[in-house]
Each structure stands twice: as structure tokens, then as C-alpha cells.
Amino acid sequence: MGCLICDGRGTPLHVITTAANVNDITQTLHLVDGIPPVAGRPGRPRRRPESVLGDKAYDSKAVRRELQRRRILPVISRKSAPNIQGLGKLRYVVEQTFALLHQFKRLAVRWERRLELHDAFVSLACSLICWRRLNKTRS
């Protein structure tokens, strides 16, 4: 699939398709930059999150420094430190979002040779997930 960033409820905000052998840490800043404006409270819509949660795979001084420069709090476990208590429960949200995307059988395994087709199916799946959540909150 690639890399995914979602909100605290598991709604996908941005997905990047990468090759199988690409480290996720290389796409961290691209994911944060790809978050669309999120409307909610009156005023200017938010363009960046307050904090970014990540496991030890995302531990990098350069990524931490760049997130702090953008006024985003990095909550990332250090490779040499014990796990942050409760981060696994928060990480579960991302895993559930991947599971929701893999319910669309065509996305579980990438069959398309063309990246544009695969990205279109991923965008459609994310749109359906968001639409279902909006309908659930209205009911």
C-alpha cells in the first residue's frame, strides 16, 4: 500500500503509494505536507496537526527537527528507549485504517501495473470510508 496518515478516529487524510523496499521515514514529511485543509471551528481551516504520533521506525533527528520547525509536536518513540506507554493503543488506529482499506479486495494486493490506477482506487476507497463515517454521525 505505502504510507498513511490519519486523524485520531482513523479517517484517512493522505495516502502515498511507495515501492515495497522504501522506508516509511522517507515519506513522513510528504504525508504531513499532504494533509488537506480541515474545516471545523469558525475561522481559517487547519492545515497541520498539533502532534504526530509514530513508532520507532519514524525516529530521526531530522524528522523531529523539521516537525518542530513546523510547530508540530512529534510523539515518536526513541529507538534506544523503552516504548512510550499507551502509544500502542494510538498506533492501533492507523492499523485499523489500513484494515479498512484492505477490505476493498483490489487494494489488499496491488495488481495494477500503472501507479495512476492504483492511486485512483486508493482515493476512491478513502472517499468511501469518509462518506460512511459522515453518514454514521448524521444518523
Side-chain angles (χ1 to χ4, degrees):
M1 170 82 51
C3 301
L4 166 78
I5 192 166
C6 64
D7 67 357
R9 292 183 21 212
T11 305
L13 298 175
H14 189 63
V15 180
I16 297 176
T17 304
T18 60
N21 57 352
V22 173
N23 290 333
D24 291 346
I25 196 168
T26 61
Q27 302 301 317
T28 305
L29 298 176
H30 297 294
L31 285 171
V32 172
D33 291 339
I35 297 174
V38 179
R41 299 182 196 142
R44 179 184 285 168
R46 289 189 58 83
R47 285 210 53 92
R48 64 176 170 257
E50 293 176 9
S51 62
V52 171
L53 303 163
D55 56 9
K56 292 182 181 186
Y58 294 93
D59 183 29
S60 165
K61 288 182 183 178
V63 170
R64 286 178 188 275
R65 188 174 32 249
E66 190 60 32
L67 288 174
Q68 288 171 345
R69 189 182 72 76
R70 297 173 187 194
R71 295 181 299 210
I72 300 171
L73 175 68
V75 182
I76 302 171
S77 296
R78 299 222 185 253
K79 290 181 182 174
S80 60
N83 291 336
I84 296 174
Q85 288 293 336
L87 189 59
K89 290 180 183 178
L90 299 172
R91 175 80 183 142
Y92 178 75
V93 174
V94 177
E95 299 301 329
Q96 277 301 114
T97 306
F98 271 118
L100 284 173
L101 286 172
H102 287 163
Q103 283 181 346
F104 299 95
K105 301 296 183 201
R106 192 164 193 142
L107 297 179
V109 176
R110 181 176 166 191
W111 295 104
E112 288 81 22
R113 289 179 179 235
R114 294 180 48 196
L115 180 62
E116 306 88 36
L117 288 175
H118 182 73
D119 285 346
F121 283 123
V122 170
S123 296
L124 181 61
C126 290
S127 300
L128 285 172
I129 291 169
C130 293
W131 182 71
R132 289 175 184 167
R133 289 184 181 214
L134 282 173
N135 278 347
K136 192 181 290 185
T137 57
R138 289 182 183 169
S139 307

